[in-house]
Amino acid sequence: MLVCMASNQQTRPAIGELAKDSATGRIGVVMGEIGGRVQLRPVRGGKEWEALPGDVLSPSAREELSTRLAMRNSDSHVPL
């Protein structure tokens, strides 16, 4: 009898994807990996920060939707 088990292991987000730094709770865009650390950039731009690879996870569906909605809303504000 062959039994298949689902893996509980998450893959780390790739370059250009949204990621959550679980150590800080911040969500950013993966920019790369240097010296054993993952570089993340805030979604609206700004200074990158580094995170340990084990702390970088895919955001939950709710976190990703909230982040994308906030980005879209801020893009729609046009000064009068």
Side-chain angles (χ1 to χ4, degrees):
M1 174 185 226
L2 179 63
V3 177
C4 294
M5 296 177 65
S7 172
N8 289 336
Q9 221 175 3
Q10 285 188 341
T11 58
R12 190 172 31 192
I15 292 173
E17 293 182 340
L18 286 177
K20 180 177 181 176
D21 177 354
S22 64
T24 64
R26 295 173 70 187
I27 294 180
V29 178
V30 177
M31 302 306 291
E33 187 171 342
I34 298 174
R37 303 238 181 198
V38 179
Q39 280 73 43
L40 297 161
R41 178 182 50 83
V43 292
R44 297 295 304 146
K47 186 176 179 183
E48 293 181 8
W49 78 94
E50 294 184 342
L52 294 172
D55 291 339
V56 178
L57 310 168
S58 295
S60 69
R62 172 175 254 161
E63 290 167 327
E64 183 169 353
L65 179 61
S66 177
T67 300
R68 292 189 185 280
L69 183 60
M71 290 168 51
R72 184 145 189 150
N73 283 342
S74 68
D75 287 342
S76 68
H77 289 95
V78 178
L80 296 174

